[in-house]
Amino acid sequence: ETGVTQSPTHLIKTRGQQVTLRCSSQSGHNTVSWYQQALGQGPQFIFQYYREEENGRGNFPPRFSGLQFPNYSSELNVNALELDDSALYLCASSSQYSTLYNEQFFGPGTRLTVL
Amino acid sequence: AQSVTQLDSQVPVFEEAPVELRCNYSSSVSVYLFWYVQYPNQGLQLLLKYLSGSTLVKGINGFEAEFNKSQTSFHLRKPSVHISDTAEYFCAAPNQGGKLIFGQGTELSVKP
């Protein structure tokens, strides 16, 4: 069973640029959630995708957008990068809608640095 | 407001000593509670979870946690820590929409 994978592992961008982060969910999982973890902080929920539709969004501006594909992999896109976007971006997959109690399996994350 | 609060940002402890990492949650979050561990440069790994039933929950690596509804707490404990337990620990709970809310994290540093 393949776990959650994310690419790239590290990324350096400059302010104003755009970035795309990718996530492959664990086999059999149809729900993907994205989290931003700033240095020294806990992860903050960005949004969740279930069967290719956005299913809930945290307190993030519209320049954070996402996609989920038919194979349940997902992308996180961030436009007009700001310095404060520097963080570890975590993807988590789970097997059901509205994961009140279904375990979310996390990938290793993508470390984004904005200069 | 929906919140999960970890009361200690850093906990230094000597090897083989007991440890308790504290977590309080607001009553507005769903009473499903989780502890995750994050080793350096890695993602999050589930240590244990409370869904219902016994208030004492046992997890991996010898950790356990006790759900206390009256004190809205879910403290994590281990009777004897190892160097390899050095990591960041996060308490989490889902909000009404089922999205995980995390505490700020506690850095456990185990010294020889």
Side-chain angles (χ1 to χ4, degrees), chain B residues 20-67:
Chain B
E20 178 180 82
L21 306 184
R22 297 181 294 168
C23 173
N24 285 90
Y25 63 93
S26 66
S27 58
S28 58
V29 299
S30 174
V31 191
Y32 299 113
L33 294 160
F34 305 85
W35 274 100
Y36 285 86
V37 60
Q38 185 175 36
Y39 298 103
N41 300 313
Q42 294 188 27
L44 301 176
Q45 180 183 6
L46 183 68
L47 269 180
L48 49 79
K49 58 188 174 186
Y50 172 78
L51 305 179
S52 64
S54 173
T55 57
L56 184 63
V57 180
K58 294 191 182 297
I60 62 172
N61 301 341
F63 283 93
E64 63 182 31
E66 185 161 16
F67 170 64

Side-chain angles (χ1 to χ4, degrees), chain A residues 25-37:
Chain A
S25 60
Q26 185 163 312
S27 177
H29 287 183
N30 56 17
T31 302
V32 172
S33 303
W34 285 92
Y35 295 83
Q36 180 195 66
Q37 185 180 12

Side-chain angles (χ1 to χ4, degrees), chain A residues 46-84:
Chain A
I46 303 175
F47 43 56
Q48 182 183 82
Y49 278 83
Y50 169 69
R51 292 189 173 180
E52 303 179 57
E53 297 288 330
E54 186 177 292
N55 172 41
R57 187 180 184 91
N59 189 25
F60 281 82
R63 59 190 185 82
F64 285 78
S65 63
L67 283 173
Q68 188 179 31
F69 300 98
N71 66 355
Y72 303 128
S73 64
S74 177
E75 286 183 355
L76 163 65
N77 298 290
V78 187
N79 293 321
L81 283 167
E82 300 177 0
L83 296 179
D84 285 349

Side-chain angles (χ1 to χ4, degrees), chain A residues 14-31:
Chain A
T14 56
R15 275 186 304 174
Q17 285 189 310
Q18 178 266 343
V19 70
T20 297
L21 310 181
R22 296 179 176 81
C23 169
S24 292
S25 60
Q26 185 163 312
S27 177
H29 287 183
N30 56 17
T31 302

